[in-house]
Amino acid sequence: MTNSTDTRRRTLMAGAALVALALGGATPALAQDQRRPDGTVDPAGQADDVDLASADPQDQGEILVTGFRRSLENAVVEKKERDQIVESISAEDIGKLPDVSIAESIARLPGLTSQRVSGRSNAISIRGFAPDFSTTLLNGREQTSTGDNRAVEYDQYPSEIMSQVLVYKTPMASLVGQGLSGTVDLRTIRPLAFGRRAISVGGRGTYADLGKLNVDSNKYGWRVNGTYVDQFANDTIGVVLSASYLDEPYQIQEFNAWGYAGTTPAGPPVVIGGSKSYVTSTQLKRLGLQGTLEWQPAPQFTTSIDGFYSDFKDDQIKRGVELPLAFGGAPLSGATASDGFVTSGTYSNVEGVVRNDAFQRHAKLYSFGWNGKYEGDDGWNATFDVSMSKTDRNELVLESNAGTGRGAGVGATDTIGFMSDANGTRFSHQLNYGDYNTILLTSPLGWGGDQTAVDGRRIRGGQDGYYNNRIIEDELWQYRMEVEKELDGFLGGIRAGLNYTDRTKALTPDEAFLGLVANTDGLTSVAVPSQYQLGTTDLTYLGLGPVISYDPVALLEAGIYQLVPNPYGDVVVKSYDISEKLMTAYWQADIDAELGSSLLTGNFGVQAIWTGQNSNGATATFLGTNPNGSPNIGATQRRSSVDYVDVLPSLNLSLRFPSDFVIRAGAAREIIRPRLDDMRASLSFDYTIVDPDGPAGPQPAVAFATGRSGNPELRPWRANAFDLTFEKYFGNQGYVALQLFYKDLKTYIYNQDVEIPTSELTLANPGSGIVLAPSVEVNVPINGTGGSLYGAELAATLPFSVFANALDGFGVTGGLSYTKTQIEPTPGEDPEDIPGYSKWVANGTAFFEKWGFSARASVRYRSSFVGEVSGFGAARTRRRAASETIVDAQIGYDFQPGSSLEGLSLFLQGQNLTDEPFVTFDPGERLRVIDFQRYGRRFLAGFTFKF
């Protein structure tokens, strides 16, 4: 790559290096690091021409360190110089992270892993905790999310605009917005620190080897990006402008089971009860824009403005056949069972439902910030920062049904053979689901029955589909000020600050039944009009052959379908409106002291957070029937608020030996605020009617109400955390580290049934002559005791030149982590895994890079875990996921200085080369597969050009 770092690398004898590794022998630092004002290294602003000291004055050979090796060296420097336990990623060059997505790069760090969604990594787990336990910052500022809760989905952020990613595994008092498992800080280029003009452009093409699973989908995609950095007015004004646009397809072959019927060993063998399987095609489009303007009117003062915008569109089409088998009452014959599990058989009289469903996730993310920093000549420093982050998101699920006739028992049925194993279920069929004359737009099983809206619109004979639009608005304002005094002596400095964060997040459901306009008698089915017929979609991988294909959104827009708003109370209680106001005061002292020939650095301090949280919701009540027959549903508003204070002390110590051996220790109180949907102030309920002596008896029937609710008074997850690491560095080239951690969860959030007096609730009338029981059993999230989570991480970056100069260019990087959990969230129950927890996580990359050539192969593994997937109606649900191993590889070439193509870099990358599936199953029952998703392999070819 151009603008590369000229280095003079130490020549090390293999024996001496091995002795140094074993005994912690002296290895002088190899670089003069460019440091920030606080003494830490700034790889993002590091100049290209950094002189590296040579151990041997006779050896004056120069080796060009660029690309992935340079990225690793910058990451080693960052880890070495920080006083917290930190993992980091640095750009190989301007506009080029080591991977094509931020999440994939982060997932390769020690102790971290990702969950794949629609075939791409976009959610990160740190040290065995789900994404909701960590927080994400952009240039140190808190961010809103496009998800339902707090976890940031990283596919919103183009990798090309990032220069560095820091993952703090331990907190410090001055780190605002920190998480319980860790804090991820995404960093963009600082133009004045960058120090030179640079222009970079790039592009790539993408190929999905599953091909076009849906006729109206794509197997090829593309992506372009550009970055401009410059300085003006004698380097007192700096500017960065970055843009990235992608248009890429993802293809998925999905098997999904409704569940499994039967019990064992007392009852009949377990057998698949129903299936809802699809081929899914996604077209992902994203425009990302980022800009920074810096101005230094005086040496003591710098001010900057940052802006980021993302316009994200994830459009999916799902086509398949839903098969109500045992749960639909279909007779089973010829069953073959093994160990209580039916592996094969035949269902007769099956009424399949052909599905053409559209999923549209559209989000716009805005982030702006202003910063002013004063660094006085007398050691007094001050910082002021104001930022805003905002996300507007719509998630539409439009389901449409087709079959052989309207209503159960109408039209042709099918005979379905099946074979079930650890990879899901494959079927055989007799009915042709790809015949437009046989498969009609209709409600095959009459789901939903007749529906009448408040405005009089009607659906008869069952719904023909469903419209579910989830509207989410998330806005966060942050105001921060800090004052620091640099000192001489044991304390290198003292700082104090205030931060105020104001966040609101609301979810509004917009739901409606979908019905054919032509169905006025409750008996009508309609063939797909010829102009909307898109051919057929092949379900051979499921054994179901072709199915008819059309765009349900186009049919709705053409007036073939109508929407009948869903008036029922279960829609009302899905909404939430949460407000959080946090005032954080902190004080921190930095340590910088010599202890003999060693150096002790670190910090200690405390945060105090005053939290005020408010939640608005509703309880639906049935008020009778309107004159037109529609239900009259009212809502009782529920508002609740709570205030509390958290005090969070923290300590980080690093003992640095002359031999480049570092021992770190950390202790802290950590918190993460509850999931937002757990804080909703909404209550839904159902009745169970019990008549002790029958309808003719003198005693009235009794209605026992059971409900589900959020808890606006939830307190955070809280933990006492302890860390200890042993790190051996080889200058700035590599390191080996053993990292130990222990988290004692003082509180845990779990669901429990609680009794609430009926008199405290506004409940619907259960019916004439039926009395309400005196109490209601409500399932609600509450704070309880927790348990412990502890583990060990072995991490290393080892260029083989450390051992032998002949191996220069070769190396490995990666980590292995083991985590053990003993969490008992429900008193008296057995310990259980927390969401996101994998006992084993491993990742590794072997690389070669020299003379412009680069090649690397990467593997990452995680053992079984509880993952979050999109369930019924796009609601988030948790399922046990199987272990997975992902293999990627990349080759490339950078044209060297002096060539006619200097500045041009080419690369070819393969992702998921072993076609690893994503699998979920019933806990403890590996054969009871719920999801089996194949994403196929992806191949990318691209370039960057810098001048």
Side-chain angles (χ1 to χ4, degrees):
M1 289 190 175
T2 61
N3 296 317
S4 52
T5 306
D6 293 330
T7 65
R8 295 185 179 89
R9 189 178 300 274
R10 175 191 303 274
T11 302
L12 296 174
M13 299 302 294
L18 290 172
V19 172
L21 173 61
L23 302 179
T27 308
L30 297 185
Q32 300 297 319
D33 304 324
Q34 183 166 348
R35 298 179 182 274
R36 305 183 182 91
D38 63 0
T40 58
V41 174
D42 185 7
Q46 184 170 322
D48 274 344
D49 298 323
V50 179
D51 232 1
L52 299 187
S54 175
D56 185 353
Q58 302 302 316
D59 180 57
Q60 298 298 322
E62 294 187 350
I63 298 176
L64 215 58
V65 179
T66 63
F68 187 62
R69 292 170 64 189
R70 178 182 176 183
S71 172
L72 291 178
E73 288 194 8
N74 286 340
V76 169
V77 170
E78 191 69 62
K79 184 177 183 68
K80 181 179 179 180
E81 297 297 327
R82 289 277 177 172
D83 287 322
Q84 305 103 278
I85 298 171
V86 170
E87 311 294 347
S88 73
I89 305 159
S90 293
E92 297 182 21
D93 206 336
I94 179 174
K96 186 181 179 183
L97 279 183
D99 291 280
V100 295
S101 79
I102 292 175
E104 288 170 353
S105 291
I106 297 175
R108 302 195 194 284
L109 295 174
L112 281 74
T113 189
S114 67
Q115 179 183 332
R116 293 181 294 168
V117 177
S118 297
R120 60 186 187 271
S121 296
N122 76 339
I124 296 297
S125 294
I126 303 176
R127 286 183 162 176
F129 286 90
D132 283 318
F133 290 89
S134 61
T135 57
T136 298
L137 314 176
L138 179 61
N139 292 319
R141 299 163 176 140
E142 296 179 66
Q143 297 297 295
T144 55
S145 75
T146 53
D148 285 6
N149 288 287
R150 303 183 188 276
V152 165
E153 297 177 335
Y154 289 98
D155 50 15
Q156 298 292 315
Y157 298 91
S159 61
E160 295 89 348
I161 72 171
M162 299 300 163
S163 66
Q164 185 186 35
V165 180
L166 294 172
V167 180
Y168 298 94
K169 290 182 174 177
T170 58
M172 61 180 177
S174 59
L175 180 62
V176 175
Q178 59 200 20
L180 188 146
S181 62
T183 307
V184 180
D185 191 5
L186 310 177
R187 296 275 181 171
T188 58
I189 293 173
R190 302 291 92 189
L192 291 182
F194 195 82
R196 62 193 184 279
R197 176 185 295 171
I199 302 174
S200 176
V201 295
R204 76 179 191 213
T206 306
Y207 168 70
D209 78 337
L210 286 180
K212 295 173 56 174
L213 295 185
N214 282 286
V215 65
D216 48 348
S217 67
N218 300 306
K219 60 182 177 181
Y220 298 107
W222 55 279
R223 181 173 186 164
V224 293
N225 63 276
T227 299
Y228 168 70
V229 188
D230 210 344
Q231 301 79 34
F232 308 94
N234 294 321
D235 292 338
T236 61
I237 297 176
V239 63
V240 174
L241 298 173
S242 297
S244 173
Y245 184 80
L246 68 82
D247 187 346
E248 293 183 337
Y250 289 82
Q251 306 285 352
I252 312 171
Q253 293 177 337
E254 299 184 55
F255 163 79
N256 174 263
W258 285 7
Y260 292 83
T263 58
T264 186
V270 172
V271 64
I272 184 170
S275 167
K276 184 172 66 175
S277 302
Y278 301 97
V279 292
T280 300
S281 298
T282 296
Q283 197 67 29
L284 180 64
K285 298 180 181 180
R286 184 195 61 211
L287 171 65
L289 303 174
Q290 186 271 331
T292 297
L293 176 64
E294 271 191 310
W295 180 37
Q296 190 176 44
Q300 297 83 11
F301 181 72
T302 303
T303 183
S304 63
I305 298 175
D306 293 281
F308 171 71
Y309 169 76
S310 174
D311 186 354
F312 179 88
K313 295 181 179 180
D314 182 354
D315 292 332
Q316 294 185 354
I317 186 70
K318 292 175 170 284
R319 296 189 174 105
V321 182
E322 192 163 4
L323 299 172
L325 304 172
F327 292 148
L332 174 64
S333 62
T336 301
S338 175
D339 295 327
F341 181 80
V342 177
T343 57
S344 64
T346 301
Y347 283 105
S348 56
N349 296 324
V350 176
E351 294 188 67
V353 180
V354 173
R355 301 290 295 270
N356 280 249
D357 299 347
F359 283 59
Q360 297 178 352
R361 297 183 68 241
H362 294 178
K364 293 185 178 181
L365 190 152
Y366 311 84
S367 183
F368 301 98
W370 170 84
N371 180 273
K373 187 169 186 177
Y374 170 80
E375 296 176 308
D377 297 331
D378 55 358
W380 282 99
N381 305 319
T383 301
F384 302 90
D385 196 271
V386 179
S387 64
M388 185 274 286
S389 178
K390 187 176 187 293
T391 299
D392 295 326
R393 170 183 151 213
N394 282 69
E395 185 174 88
L396 172 64
V397 180
L398 180 58
E399 303 175 348
S400 69
N401 305 325
T404 58
R406 181 171 296 277
V410 178
T413 61
D414 199 1
T415 299
I416 299 292
F418 70 93
M419 297 183 64
S420 298
D421 57 24
N423 294 328
T425 302
R426 283 180 56 85
F427 305 96
S428 63
H429 68 104
Q430 296 181 2
L431 193 66
N432 182 3
Y433 294 102
D435 185 351
Y436 281 94
N437 295 319
T438 301
I439 306 300
L440 310 174
L441 302 176
T442 191
S443 180
L445 298 175
W447 288 334
D450 294 348
Q451 300 292 341
T452 303
V454 174
D455 63 4
R457 281 178 283 176
R458 298 189 65 188
I459 286 178
R460 302 187 63 182
Q463 68 194 54
D464 300 291
Y466 198 74
Y467 177 95
N468 182 1
N469 188 23
R470 307 168 77 248
I471 304 166
I472 296 178
E473 297 179 348
D474 194 355
E475 183 170 305
L476 185 152
W477 284 87
Q478 186 175 10
Y479 310 87
R480 182 174 179 177
M481 60 178 295
E482 178 183 285
V483 177
E484 177 188 17
K485 180 64 171 76
E486 298 175 5
L487 304 173
D488 294 324
F490 180 81
L491 295 183
I494 297 176
R495 68 185 70 186
L498 286 173
N499 183 88
Y500 178 73
T501 301
D502 185 353
R503 181 177 190 175
T504 59
K505 188 160 188 170
L507 184 151
T508 304
D510 175 18
E511 301 187 20
F513 300 102
L514 193 70
L516 288 167
V517 174
N519 177 35
T520 58
D521 57 3
L523 303 173
T524 301
S525 302
V526 174
V528 178
S530 58
Q531 66 268 36
Y532 297 104
Q533 295 179 10
L534 299 177
T536 59
T537 295
D538 188 7
L539 295 181
T540 301
Y541 81 100
L542 285 170
L544 294 175
V547 299
I548 67 170
S549 302
Y550 56 90
D551 182 357
V553 176
L555 296 183
L556 177 61
E557 293 174 346
I560 295 171
Y561 286 129
Q562 65 170 334
L563 296 179
V564 175
N566 185 343
Y568 295 102
D570 61 338
V571 176
V572 175
V573 298
K574 293 178 183 178
S575 64
Y576 61 72
D577 183 356
I578 309 293
S579 172
E580 294 177 327
K581 301 181 187 298
L582 296 91
M583 175 61 78
T584 302
Y586 62 88
W587 175 90
Q588 177 178 306
D590 299 324
I591 299 172
D592 189 355
E594 293 184 0
L595 297 180
S597 61
S598 301
L599 181 66
L600 178 67
T601 64
N603 55 71
F604 62 92
V606 63
Q607 279 188 5
I609 306 176
W610 288 265
T611 300
Q613 62 189 38
N614 299 272
S615 180
N616 297 327
T619 300
T621 56
F622 180 69
L623 304 177
T625 302
N626 295 315
N628 64 5
S630 65
N632 184 5
I633 306 295
T636 301
Q637 294 296 316
R638 181 187 178 194
R639 298 184 178 180
S640 183
S641 62
V642 66
D643 301 318
Y644 54 86
V645 180
D646 280 289
V647 179
L648 310 177
S650 62
L651 169 69
N652 293 280
L653 295 175
S654 297
L655 184 58
R656 305 171 185 275
F657 295 92
S659 59
D660 258 3
F661 188 75
V662 182
I663 300 177
R664 303 185 198 272
R669 176 81 158 185
E670 301 173 342
I671 66 169
I672 192 71
R673 292 186 292 280
R675 286 171 58 103
L676 293 164
D677 54 2
D678 281 344
M679 295 165 58
R680 69 190 189 280
S682 300
L683 171 66
S684 60
F685 55 86
D686 300 303
Y687 288 128
T688 299
I689 310 297
V690 177
D691 195 345
D693 53 4
Q699 299 184 39
V702 180
F704 292 89
T706 57
R708 296 161 299 281
S709 175
N711 182 358
E713 298 183 3
L714 277 178
R715 302 306 200 269
W717 306 70
R718 298 184 174 109
N720 293 334
F722 306 92
D723 290 80
L724 180 64
T725 74
F726 303 91
E727 304 167 0
K728 167 60 186 171
Y729 289 88
F730 307 99
N732 291 337
Q733 292 178 289
Y735 76 97
V736 177
L738 175 63
Q739 303 177 163
L740 309 173
F741 65 93
Y742 177 86
K743 293 184 186 291
D744 180 15
L745 273 74
K746 311 308 293 185
T747 63
Y748 192 98
I749 297 174
Y750 68 99
N751 282 65
Q752 186 179 63
D753 292 330
V754 298
E755 297 288 334
I756 298 177
T758 303
S759 58
E760 295 183 7
L761 302 174
T762 303
L763 299 178
N765 186 347
S768 177
I770 302 175
V771 299
L772 287 170
S775 63
V776 176
E777 188 176 84
V778 179
N779 187 264
V780 60
I782 66 171
N783 291 107
T785 57
S788 60
L789 185 142
Y790 53 91
E793 300 164 350
L794 181 63
T797 293
L798 290 174
F800 291 166
S801 59
V802 168
F803 306 111
N805 198 47
L807 297 177
D808 183 64
F810 292 93
V812 294
T813 183
L816 171 67
S817 66
Y818 170 81
T819 306
K820 178 68 175 178
T821 177
Q822 294 180 344
I823 307 294
E824 300 178 7
T826 306
E829 297 293 332
D830 294 334
E832 65 180 50
D833 292 349
I834 61 175
Y837 165 73
S838 289
K839 180 178 290 186
W840 291 98
V841 170
N843 59 78
T845 298
F847 63 88
F848 171 79
E849 190 170 65
K850 198 172 183 180
W851 308 302
F853 292 99
S854 63
R856 58 182 183 262
S858 302
V859 59
R860 65 179 190 267
Y861 167 83
R862 71 179 304 183
S863 58
S864 177
F865 64 99
V866 177
E868 188 172 79
V869 298
S870 181
F872 179 76
R876 298 324 187 236
T877 185
R878 289 170 176 166
R879 293 180 185 150
R880 168 64 63 178
S883 62
E884 58 184 21
T885 303
I886 313 298
V887 178
D888 305 320
Q890 176 174 314
I891 59 174
Y893 181 73
D894 301 339
F895 288 89
Q896 299 298 283
S899 75
S900 59
L901 294 177
E902 178 182 350
L904 177 64
S905 300
L906 305 175
F907 73 90
L908 176 65
Q909 186 176 69
Q911 297 177 330
N912 192 28
L913 293 176
T914 58
D915 194 10
E916 184 79 350
F918 175 74
V919 183
T920 70
F921 53 91
D922 281 345
E925 302 291 343
R926 183 60 181 83
L927 290 177
R928 300 187 198 177
V929 176
I930 303 298
D931 299 284
F932 188 93
Q933 300 180 0
R934 287 189 62 233
Y935 305 127
R937 302 169 184 83
R938 294 176 63 80
F939 298 96
L940 306 93
F943 75 94
T944 60
F945 186 73
K946 180 179 172 184
F947 52 94

